[in-house]
């Protein structure tokens, strides 16, 4: 490729830019429509340096060579989180509609931070947020924003909670404590501790019961110990390791009785509330001052999207609205500006892929697809219990199944896991519980089948 001869070379509509767009979109079409998604696996830094170094040059290598390098070297060095055999951590299983529309979002150059710049996109995102808020039992007027992920969602909610506590203390003529405290269980997601570290506040953990669930009475003991220093209580709507749902109702009732902000971290599991039979498990979510759920997990959207919803969005505005002369035209108006509701300013309209998929397929399809994962988890748990040498650690509540291979050490699990990935069979990494190595299936994709899971179990013999 020759050196650019004009400043507009990269942006002008020319033969070169047409070829670039066509090459990229053709690859995106092939990848989105793979009937047999490759699992792939990581490569060593040395191998990647040997095969992929030298792509950044003064003259450029051209779109054909660049997309070929990505397709043939870089992409195969990334494990496909949408593969049916990707069962580690929490997988992602974006619908084809959401994947396709994510391309549209990027191609449309939409800024999703303010109403004046992205009204149509913000309106569509709010349609999804309002639907979720209603499903969770939150009142009319609840609303929020799509942020990067659960960590930013939890951080933003807790920043709002502390700001509200500060304002309330000032209104009541009380001094603020020397150290603020957030209360959660020891099973809470690591992002709560991470958010606390960023905010320079303390975390006080409440004991869970034998099933790993947090209850109001345990929280009450911690609140009695820390008093007015507590600015928020966090319950979990589906832990990452086991899929355990706290006793949200008792924790929420206590928080409301004490006048403390109640946050529900449902990043993974709260999507299960869309299934009618699962609603009783999540009783109490309607008491929350804020909730999060990640569409890039069990709501079939691509990375990255966390839906953060507030009972009273005005409290988030007070905590997060940035002030600057160049922003004066945006602030102080009734417009719904997503950037005023979380720790962010610049923002892509990351909720649009879910909006498009939800609008395309309808809510009934979403409910059925989520229910499939719950039913499959229960079915494979029964299968594990029936097999000699395998032990179920706990009955699954959502779609995470944790079990052990009797007599195996961590080294045995790791060797098995590496072999499974090397053979491109599945991606299942060991976890741990109470200091013991275990295995877990995290089931999200409706393309994950009972037959695939039993075939994986067969390799444990």
């Amino acid at each position: 490729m020759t050196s650019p001869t004009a400043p507009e070379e990269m942006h002008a509509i020319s033969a070169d830019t047409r070829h670039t767009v066509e090459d990229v979109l053709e690859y995106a079409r092939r990848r989105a429509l793979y009937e047999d998604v490759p699992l792939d696996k990581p490569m060593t830094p040395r191998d990647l340096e040997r095969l992929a170094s030298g792509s950044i040059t003064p003259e450029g290598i051209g779109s054909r060579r660049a997309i070929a390098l990505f397709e043939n070297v870089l992409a195969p060095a990334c494990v496909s989180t949408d593969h049916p055999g990707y069962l580690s951590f929490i997988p992602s299983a974006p619908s084809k509609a959401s994947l396709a529309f994510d391309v549209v979002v990027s191609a449309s150059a939409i800024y999703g931070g303010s109403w004046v710049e992205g009204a149509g996109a913000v309106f569509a995102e709010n349609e999804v947020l309002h639907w979720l808020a209603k499903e969770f039992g939150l009142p009319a007027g609840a609303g929020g924003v799509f942020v990067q992920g659960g960590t930013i969602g939890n951080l933003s909610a807790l920043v709002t909670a502390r700001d509200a506590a500060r304002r309330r203390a000032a209104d009541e003529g009380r001094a603020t404590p020397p150290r603020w405290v957030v209360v959660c269980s020891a099973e809470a997601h690591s992002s709560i501790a991470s958010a606390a570290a960023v905010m320079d506040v303390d975390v006080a953990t409440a004991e869970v019961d034998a099933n790993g669930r947090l209850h109001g009475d345990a929280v009450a003991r911690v609140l009695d110990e820390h008093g007015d220093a507590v600015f928020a209580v966090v319950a979990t709507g589906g832990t990452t390791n086991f899929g355990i749902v706290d006793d949200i109702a008792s924790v929420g009732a206590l928080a409301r009785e004490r006048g403390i902000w109640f946050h529900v971290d449902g990043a993974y599991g709260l999507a299960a509330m869309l299934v009618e039979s699962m609603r009783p498990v999540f009783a109490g979510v309607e008491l929350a001052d804020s909730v999060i759920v990640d569409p890039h997990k069990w709501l079939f959207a691509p990375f990255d999207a966390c839906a953060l919803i507030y009972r009273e969005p005005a409290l988030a505005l007070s905590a997060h609205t940035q002030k600057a002369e160049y922003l004066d035209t945006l602030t102080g108006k009734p417009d719904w500006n997503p950037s005023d509701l979380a720790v962010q300013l610049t923002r892509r309209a990351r909720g649009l892929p879910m909006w498009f998929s939800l609008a395309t397929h309808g809510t009934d399809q979403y409910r059925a697809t989520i229910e499939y994962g719950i039913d499959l988890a229960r079915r494979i748990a029964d299968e594990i219990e029936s097999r000699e040498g395998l032990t179920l650690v706990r009955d699954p509540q959502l779609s995470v199944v944790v079990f052990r291979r009797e007599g195996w050490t961590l080294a045995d699990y790791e060797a098995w896991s590496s072999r499974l990935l090397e053979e491109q069979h599945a991606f299942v990494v060991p976890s741990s519980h109470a200091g013991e190595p275990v295995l877990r299936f995290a089931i999200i994709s409706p393309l994950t089948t009972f037959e695939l899971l039993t075939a994986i179990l067969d390799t444990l013999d």
Side-chain angles (χ1 to χ4, degrees), residues 112 114-115 118-134 142-146 307-309 313 334-339 341 347 349 351-352 355 358:
S114 72
W115 183 270
V122 174
F123 179 87
E125 288 184 318
N126 285 347
E127 289 283 278
V128 180
L129 293 167
H130 293 155
W131 172 69
L132 288 172
K134 185 177 180 180
V145 58
F146 287 95
L308 165 61
I309 305 173
D335 295 342
W336 190 275
N337 297 323
S339 288
L341 296 166
R347 138 176 222 283
L352 284 182
W355 164 80
L358 194 61

Side-chain angles (χ1 to χ4, degrees), residues 122-211:
V122 174
F123 179 87
E125 288 184 318
N126 285 347
E127 289 283 278
V128 180
L129 293 167
H130 293 155
W131 172 69
L132 288 172
K134 185 177 180 180
E135 290 289 326
F136 301 153
L138 297 176
V145 58
F146 287 95
V147 296
Q148 176 185 345
T151 296
I152 300 300
N154 284 332
L155 173 62
S156 300
L158 292 177
V159 166
T160 301
R162 182 178 60 180
D163 184 75
R166 282 173 171 165
R167 293 174 186 272
R168 186 168 59 250
D171 291 343
E172 296 173 357
R174 293 185 286 108
T176 56
R179 296 285 299 178
W180 288 104
V181 176
V182 57
V183 176
C184 62
S185 83
E187 300 293 327
H189 192 267
S190 57
S191 61
I192 301 300
S194 176
V198 170
M199 297 170 65
D200 193 26
V201 301
D202 295 330
V203 176
T205 57
E207 294 181 359
V208 296
D209 66 13
N211 293 316

Side-chain angles (χ1 to χ4, degrees), residues 272-412:
M273 195 173 175
L274 300 178
V275 177
E276 186 65 32
S277 63
M278 296 300 296
R279 286 187 180 275
V281 175
F282 294 91
V285 171
E286 70 278 1
L287 302 174
D289 294 290
S290 55
V291 304
I292 66 163
V293 63
D294 286 356
H296 62 230
K297 293 187 172 77
W298 216 359
L299 289 171
F300 316 115
F303 294 115
D304 49 15
C306 165
L308 165 61
I309 305 173
Y310 299 99
R311 173 179 293 272
E312 298 181 51
L315 298 175
L317 295 176
S318 298
H320 291 290
T321 300
Q322 296 188 29
K323 304 294 195 302
E325 290 178 348
Y326 75 99
L327 296 175
D328 285 348
T329 189
L330 302 178
T331 57
K333 294 182 179 180
D335 295 342
W336 190 275
N337 297 323
S339 288
D340 293 341
L341 296 166
V343 181
Q344 59 183 359
L345 184 58
T346 302
R347 138 176 222 283
R348 81 190 297 263
R350 53 174 45 88
L352 284 182
M354 183 183 172
W355 164 80
F356 182 76
S357 183
L358 194 61
T360 297
H361 295 295
T363 59
D364 286 350
Q365 179 66 63
Y366 268 71
R367 298 183 204 281
T369 307
I370 294 168
E371 188 170 23
Y372 170 84
I374 296 169
D375 291 343
L376 180 56
R378 290 170 179 160
R379 188 179 176 195
I380 200 63
D382 291 341
E383 176 69 18
I384 289 168
E385 285 197 303
S386 73
R387 293 198 175 206
E388 185 176 352
L390 299 183
T391 304
L392 193 66
V393 176
R394 178 178 287 134
D395 286 330
Q397 194 173 16
L398 301 178
S399 68
V400 173
V401 183
V402 182
F403 60 102
R404 67 172 67 88
R405 171 68 164 83
E406 297 298 338
W408 274 21
T409 65
L410 178 58
D412 294 323

Side-chain angles (χ1 to χ4, degrees), residues 55-118:
S55 60
I56 308 303
T57 68
E59 299 82 11
I61 64 173
S63 63
R64 292 278 168 89
R65 288 182 60 192
I67 196 66
L69 179 62
F70 180 79
E71 181 173 5
N72 298 314
V73 179
L74 301 177
C78 304
V79 180
S80 299
T81 62
D82 59 341
H83 188 281
Y86 186 109
L87 299 162
S88 296
F89 312 115
I90 299 293
S92 180
S95 68
K96 300 306 181 185
S98 69
L99 283 176
F101 206 75
D102 201 32
V103 177
V104 173
V105 174
S106 294
S108 299
I110 294 170
Y111 174 66
S114 72
W115 183 270
V116 70
E117 295 163 285

